[in-house]
């Protein structure tokens, strides 16, 4: 479920925008995302498998500025 939600967050328009931004072929960006997203999800799941890892993830979510920092868009 989480994997599908994250993959669908990268619409064709978003992939095209990334491709233009990084001057890369759209197909390459899509392929990279298809590999990157499951890897990140697996890493988060692995980290969440221990109490210390869960705490670190929680702390990260509490302190991250990706939704309030205008330079992160």
């Amino acid at each position: 479920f989480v994997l599908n939600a994250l993959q669908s967050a990268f619409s064709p328009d978003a992939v095209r925008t990334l491709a233009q931004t990084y001057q890369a072929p759209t197909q390459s960006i899509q392929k990279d995302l298809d590999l990157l997203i499951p890897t990140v999800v697996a890493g988060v799941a692995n980290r969440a498998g221990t109490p210390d890892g869960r705490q670190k993830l929680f702390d990260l979510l509490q302190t991250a500025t990706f939704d309030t920092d205008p330079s992160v868009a």
Side-chain angles (χ1 to χ4, degrees):
F1 173 74
V2 172
L3 187 57
N4 290 336
L6 287 172
Q7 287 173 325
S8 68
F10 289 94
S11 68
D13 286 340
V15 173
R16 276 192 294 278
T17 299
L18 284 169
Q20 291 171 348
T21 299
Y22 293 103
Q23 299 177 352
T26 303
Q27 297 85 353
S28 294
I29 296 294
Q30 185 63 60
K31 182 180 174 184
D32 291 346
L33 288 170
D34 290 344
L35 295 171
L36 178 67
I37 293 170
T39 302
V40 170
V41 170
V44 169
N46 186 44
R47 175 63 65 132
T50 66
D52 183 53
R54 283 189 293 277
Q55 185 62 50
K56 287 180 180 179
L57 288 171
F58 181 77
D59 292 344
L60 175 66
L61 291 172
Q62 294 296 311
T63 60
T65 59
F66 40 72
D67 68 334
T68 57
D69 184 348
S71 68
V72 180

